């Protein structure tokens, strides 16, 4: 993943090119997961994605760090990722947030995201640790 000039361009999986989400310019959006009070997913991604696409977003993030991503198990992550990708229907790229407290967690999440058809990954630093720049680089390259 590279953003050497603060452009918002994030390099994605090999062969996927780059995605320009223009972070900070209100074009990229991590949608919230529509949940019931009991925590079950509701059929709300379709209308939510349609609403934000009508507003001009240039990409979506599923299961990112600003939402419920860290609270989802792999089955729930799959449901969120598949719902967002299906609702986007190829009109904008969909990145998937991956992370956790260890690289192996991020790798499992990354594999799942790519199996589901994600356009790229938004890799978070391991939670609750303070890696050195070299360790963080190894983490991101591994994922």
């Amino acid at each position: 993943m590279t953003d050497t000039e603060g452009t918002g361009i994030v390099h994605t999986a090999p062969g996927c090119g780059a995605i320009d989400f223009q972070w900070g310019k209100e074009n990229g959006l991590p949608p919230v997961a529509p949940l019931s009070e009991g925590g079950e997913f509701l059929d709300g991604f379709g209308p939510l994605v349609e609403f934000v696409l009508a507003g001009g977003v240039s990409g979506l993030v599923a299961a990112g760090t600003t939402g419920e991503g860290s609270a989802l198990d792999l089955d729930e992550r799959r449901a969120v990722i598949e719902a967002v990708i299906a609702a986007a229907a190829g009109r904008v790229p969909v990145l998937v947030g991956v992370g956790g407290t260890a690289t192996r967690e991020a790798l499992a999440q990354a594999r799942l995201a790519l199996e589901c058809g994600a356009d790229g990954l938004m890799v978070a630093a391991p939670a609750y640790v303070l890696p050195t720049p070299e360790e963080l680089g190894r983490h991101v390259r591994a994922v």
Side-chain angles (χ1 to χ4, degrees):
M1 179 166 45
T2 309
D3 182 3
T4 57
E5 299 174 18
T7 63
I9 295 175
V10 177
H11 293 269
T12 60
C16 292
I19 298 173
D20 185 355
F21 270 51
Q22 295 297 313
W23 295 118
K25 296 182 182 176
E26 300 182 51
N27 286 337
L29 180 75
V32 296
L35 302 171
S36 71
E37 287 186 27
E40 292 84 28
F41 290 101
L42 304 172
D43 290 333
F45 276 113
L48 176 60
V49 168
E50 292 304 320
F51 177 78
V52 298
L53 289 178
V57 299
S58 62
L60 298 168
V61 176
T65 58
T66 59
E68 68 293 319
S70 63
L72 302 174
D73 65 29
L74 287 178
D75 291 334
E76 293 167 329
R77 289 180 74 77
R78 179 180 298 278
V80 168
I81 295 164
E82 288 177 345
V84 173
I85 289 172
R91 294 174 287 175
V92 295
V94 176
L95 296 183
V96 173
V98 299
T101 57
T103 300
R104 68 180 171 275
E105 290 178 71
L107 282 168
Q109 294 172 10
R111 287 184 192 104
L112 174 67
L114 296 176
E115 286 172 15
C116 291
D119 294 300
L121 305 171
M122 188 173 65
V123 181
Y128 307 110
V129 296
L130 296 172
T132 66
E134 293 79 19
E135 291 167 335
L136 184 55
R138 284 195 302 270
H139 169 77
V140 171
R141 282 188 298 277
V143 175

